[in-house]
Amino acid sequence: QGPGWWDMRSLGRGFGALWGANAASNLADGLAFVAMSLLAASLTGDPRWVAGLATTYALVRLLVALPVGVWVDRVDRRSILVAANLLRGLVVLLLGVVLHGGLGSLLVLYVAFALVGALESAADNAALALVPSIVGSGDLDHANGRISATQLLADEFIGPPLGGLLFAVSMAAPVLAMGGLWAVAGLLALAVPTGLGAVADAAAPPVRRSLLREAADGVRWLATDRIVGGLALIGGAASVGYMLPFSILVLFAEDRLGVDEFGFGLILAVSALGGLVGSFSTARIRARIGYRWTIVCCLFVGAGALFGLSLSTSGMAAAGLLAVYICHATVWGICVASLRQRLVPEALRGRVNAATRVVGLIGLVIGSALGGFLAVIDLALPVAVGGVVFVLCAVGTLIILRAGDGVVDTTPV
């Protein structure tokens, strides 16, 4: 049956601290989702500069992913988690002070969020690599499910409306709140046991190799491992499938569903409920039918949700279909993260996480560009093509995990 949902002690020493740090960090991320756009819009009316802030944020995370992975494998991971959160807090607190003093500018905002994006990559990678060092292999699904549920609550339900409310009080208010939350996350992470994931080797040469060569070790391992590497490629393709509809979803909602801005926000809020269902149910489903069929079935479910959405003209129906879609994405994410945590060697975990993240980010870029191109032909086309992509992903996953039956526990436990 697994541990009770909020019984942190049953998941091993330090998981409560790691969960608390993630919760505070996720709430800050939810505030940032709204504050980033509102701050940019308050400083310029040019949509290119507003959109450019999110693009810069994503590009910085892509550029630093592999070097961050090397450091996550070089240094005590708890120290990285603490430092990254405290530094994020310091950066945005300074930004809040600057904004409060009336000295804000687009350049200052871009620099601040570029730094936050780089530090976010470090914090996320370190936290993901720490989970299997804190909880047992059999509890990874439960641990990742709790982290996922908390992230959804903070990012989708609490953070965005709170960020808008704080911005209405003062431009600097959500920024100062973000800084305080990231600082709290860093302090909570101090309670995580030290030495977890440290990979120092007494027999290793005193002079380390270059970052590039060490990063290449993770890429090579990923490229040669049939299961984890194959799932990374499937994840990249799934990222394309995800961004095909989501890159133009607001236009689809306005034109095909006939909803206004409030209605669109309501649809997104309802869809996030599907993620909570997925977070709570993944461990139980996986225990009954195994990783292979859980992942394959959820990808087919995601495909069906997109096919249905491409034909929908009702906002209510679209909200339900998107909830099913987000549920599938959550189940996929938890299962694949748990498999990667189980199968990747301790000494390479940070670098393999980073290489996997790069593949996913490339997929997001391709999907967003392709979605815009297909939407010119018909707004429903990128949604339907996204469904086709997920069918292909499901078939590919079935082949990859079938070949790994001797390694991956794909039978009920």
Side-chain angles (χ1 to χ4, degrees):
Q1 297 295 322
W5 252 89
W6 302 114
D7 181 6
M8 301 299 170
R9 293 173 297 178
S10 65
L11 288 175
R13 180 188 176 200
F15 180 76
L18 181 62
W19 175 85
N22 275 343
S25 177
N26 291 150
L27 183 53
D29 291 341
L31 293 175
F33 179 77
V34 169
M36 186 188 305
S37 298
L38 292 176
L39 285 170
S42 70
L43 295 171
T44 179
D46 190 331
R48 293 170 297 180
W49 285 109
V50 175
L53 188 62
T55 303
T56 301
Y57 192 72
L59 284 175
V60 167
R61 295 179 64 193
L62 177 61
L63 291 173
V64 305
L66 290 177
V68 161
V70 174
W71 283 106
V72 168
D73 287 337
R74 279 185 177 184
V75 183
D76 175 55
R77 289 164 184 162
R78 189 207 70 158
S79 299
I80 293 177
L81 185 62
V82 171
N85 279 309
L86 289 177
L87 287 173
R88 279 197 288 179
L90 178 62
V91 168
V92 295
L93 284 173
L94 289 175
L95 174 63
V97 171
V98 169
L99 292 172
H100 187 70
L103 302 176
S105 69
L106 275 176
L107 177 60
V108 171
L109 191 60
Y110 266 70
V111 171
F113 275 100
L115 291 172
V116 168
L119 292 166
E120 180 180 350
S121 291
D124 287 351
N125 195 328
L128 185 63
L130 275 169
V131 173
S133 301
I134 294 175
V135 305
S137 177
D139 287 328
L140 286 173
D141 296 326
H142 294 283
N144 289 321
R146 292 177 193 187
I147 291 172
S148 176
T150 306
Q151 180 178 350
L152 280 165
L153 285 170
D155 283 356
E156 304 291 341
F157 293 108
I158 303 175
L162 180 59
L165 179 64
L166 290 174
F167 193 87
V169 175
S170 166
M171 181 187 298
V175 179
L176 294 173
M178 287 156 50
L181 285 167
W182 274 320
V184 168
L187 294 175
L188 287 173
L190 287 170
V192 175
T194 59
L196 295 178
V199 293
D201 185 353
V207 179
R208 293 187 184 275
R209 295 177 299 150
S210 67
L211 282 173
L212 182 61
R213 290 185 177 182
E214 290 197 41
D217 289 341
V219 175
R220 276 193 296 270
W221 191 95
L222 188 67
T224 56
D225 186 87
R226 183 181 181 90
I227 297 172
V228 181
L231 287 175
L233 291 177
I234 295 295
S239 295
V240 175
Y242 167 82
M243 281 305 293
L244 278 167
F246 276 81
S247 62
I248 53 87
L249 188 61
V250 63
L251 299 177
F252 181 87
E254 292 175 354
D255 185 75
R256 294 300 178 90
L257 305 179
V259 300
D260 57 14
E261 292 83 357
F262 176 77
F264 180 63
L266 188 60
I267 287 174
L268 292 181
V270 171
S271 70
L273 293 174
L276 290 178
V277 172
S279 297
F280 284 98
S281 61
T282 299
R284 196 168 291 180
I285 295 172
R286 197 279 304 169
R288 287 184 176 272
I289 64 175
Y291 279 116
R292 173 158 58 99
W293 287 112
T294 300
I295 294 174
V296 169
C297 289
C298 85
L299 286 170
F300 276 123
V301 167
L306 289 186
F307 287 139
L309 181 62
S310 69
L311 301 174
S312 178
T313 57
S314 163
M316 185 177 297
L321 289 166
L322 283 172
V324 172
Y325 176 84
I326 298 300
C327 180
H328 119 269
T330 302
V331 173
W332 154 269
I334 292 171
C335 286
V336 172
S338 296
L339 278 175
R340 190 164 65 247
Q341 289 165 342
R342 290 177 59 193
L343 299 177
V344 177
E346 171 74 26
L348 287 169
R349 197 171 289 147
R351 282 167 284 177
V352 173
N353 286 343
T356 303
R357 175 62 63 87
V358 168
V359 175
L361 288 172
I362 291 173
L364 293 177
V365 172
I366 294 172
S368 60
L370 186 58
F373 175 77
L374 293 176
V376 173
I377 302 172
D378 189 286
L379 279 172
L381 186 58
V383 183
V385 172
V388 174
V389 171
F390 279 110
V391 169
L392 296 176
C393 287
V395 174
T397 302
L398 183 61
I399 295 170
I400 290 168
L401 293 188
R402 183 177 183 181
D405 272 351
V407 179
V408 180
D409 176 17
T410 56
T411 58
V413 294

